Amino acid sequence: MHRVAVVVPAHNERSLLPACLAALHRSAEQIAPVPVRLIVVADACTDETAAVAAPRAPRC
């Protein structure tokens, strides 16, 4: 069970999303062992935002 969820709204953020998610992963490691779930909400994007997010945030 995850105790912390971080929701990242992203619309056409293909270029900025990797750095954002990397920073969130580093922050999540700081509060270990609290499980953290990253959720990226990417709706109606016209770029590859969802494809970029998928391997970094399984809930996309």
Side-chain angles (χ1 to χ4, degrees):
M1 172 166 70
H2 291 86
R3 301 184 100 194
V4 175
V6 178
V7 179
V8 180
H11 182 73
N12 293 338
E13 297 293 342
R14 174 182 51 107
S15 61
L16 298 175
L17 195 57
C20 174
L21 294 178
L24 288 170
H25 278 288
R26 285 191 304 273
S27 295
E29 291 171 359
Q30 301 272 330
I31 62 170
V34 176
V36 176
R37 173 179 286 166
L38 296 181
I39 302 167
V40 176
V41 179
D43 188 27
C45 295
T46 57
D47 67 0
E48 296 82 28
T49 297
V52 168
R56 294 168 176 89
R59 298 278 312 246
C60 179

